[in-house]
Amino acid sequence: MNYRIIVSGLLVLFSVVWASNLNELVDYVVNPGPPGQLLYNVSKYFGFLGICVLLLQVIIGLASKFLKKSGGWHKKNAYLLLVLVFLHVLTFVSAVSVRSGSFAWEVVVPDMSNYYHTIISFGILSSVVVVVSMFTGKELVKRKAEHVAKMHIGLACLSMLALVHALSIGSETRSDMSIILFSVLILMMLLQAAFLMLRLVISIRVGVQIED
C-alpha cells in the first residue's frame, strides 16, 4: 500500500470532519471577523489535522512492533506531523500578534497563571515533545538502545497533552463527528497497546516456563 495515497485520503477525511463543524465554511473564510481572525481560523485547521496525525503516528508506531513494513510509514508520518505542528504554532502566534499589535510572547512562553494559558502551555510542551521525540526516534533506529526506546515511548505518552490541549480549547474538536473520529483513533491505539502488552506478558510467561 502506498503511504502517500492512504494518508492523502485520511487528510481529506480529517478535513471533511473539520469542515462539517462549520455552519458556513465560505463565510467563515471570507468574513473572518476581527484582525488576525483568518490566521486564527487557519491555525485551528492545522491544529485539528495535527491532532489526527499525532494519533495516527502513535497507531503506526505501535503497528511497527509487529508489522516491519510500517516503520517507513512511521518516519514519513513524523515529518508530516512536524510540518503541521510548525504551521499551527506559526499561524496561531501570528494571529494573536496581529490582534494585539505586538509579538505574542504570552502564547510562546509557558504560563500556568490561569486556565487558558495553562492549556496553551500544554500545547507548547507537546510541540516540544514532538520535536524531541523525532530525534529519539532517529537515535533509536541507529542504536536500538533500550533506554532510548523507553524515552521514545515516554515522549509519545507525554505528547498526548496535545489531545488535552485540543479538546479543552479547540472549538471544532468537541463536535459529535470530531468526537467519533477521535474515539475511533484512540480505540485503535488502545487496542494495539493492549495487544502488545498481552504479547509481552505471554512471552515472559513462556520464557519462565522454559527456564523451569
Side-chain angles (χ1 to χ4, degrees):
M1 291 185 291
N2 188 285
Y3 168 81
R4 290 184 179 180
I5 295 175
I6 292 177
V7 171
S8 295
L10 287 173
L11 288 176
V12 170
L13 172 63
F14 299 155
S15 298
V16 169
V17 172
W18 180 82
S20 68
N21 300 319
L22 309 175
N23 294 324
E24 297 292 341
L25 179 59
V26 175
D27 186 61
Y28 192 70
V29 175
V30 176
N31 302 305
Q37 187 64 34
L38 178 58
L39 281 170
Y40 179 61
N41 295 340
V42 173
S43 78
K44 291 198 294 181
Y45 172 67
F46 287 133
F48 187 89
L49 291 184
I51 291 298
C52 294
V53 173
L54 172 62
L55 294 173
L56 186 63
Q57 177 70 352
V58 177
I59 291 171
I60 295 173
L62 291 171
S64 67
K65 301 298 181 182
F66 49 90
L67 294 175
K68 293 182 179 180
K69 291 184 179 181
S70 66
W73 286 31
H74 192 57
K75 180 180 178 180
K76 293 175 183 177
N77 204 67
Y79 288 118
L80 173 60
L81 176 59
L82 188 63
V83 169
L84 290 171
V85 168
F86 173 76
L87 291 174
H88 173 60
V89 172
L90 177 65
T91 50
F92 180 72
V93 173
S94 299
V96 179
S97 298
V98 168
R99 181 166 298 183
S100 64
S102 60
F103 187 78
W105 289 106
E106 67 274 15
V107 295
V108 176
V109 179
D111 177 14
M112 304 290 183
S113 61
N114 55 59
Y115 175 79
Y116 180 76
H117 283 97
T118 297
I119 299 302
I120 290 293
S121 297
F122 285 172
I124 296 171
L125 178 58
S126 59
S127 298
V128 174
V129 166
V130 166
V131 175
V132 175
S133 64
M134 285 193 65
F135 288 102
T136 60
K138 288 184 177 182
E139 190 68 15
L140 182 58
V141 171
K142 291 179 182 178
R143 298 174 57 186
K144 302 293 183 181
E146 184 178 353
H147 71 280
V148 178
K150 290 180 179 178
M151 183 184 299
H152 192 65
I153 293 172
L155 289 169
C157 294
L158 193 58
S159 69
M160 289 301 104
L161 281 174
L163 188 60
V164 177
H165 166 78
L167 293 176
S168 298
I169 59 177
S171 53
E172 281 84 27
T173 58
R174 289 170 288 179
S175 70
D176 292 341
M177 287 193 66
S178 296
I179 293 300
I180 291 173
L181 173 62
F182 292 146
S183 297
V184 170
L185 292 173
I186 291 171
L187 180 61
M188 290 176 63
M189 185 174 65
L190 293 177
L191 286 175
Q192 284 181 295
F195 173 78
L196 290 174
M197 288 296 295
L198 179 61
R199 193 175 71 165
L200 177 62
V201 170
I202 292 174
S203 65
I204 292 175
R205 293 192 65 177
V206 170
V208 171
Q209 291 176 359
I210 292 176
E211 289 180 0
D212 293 343

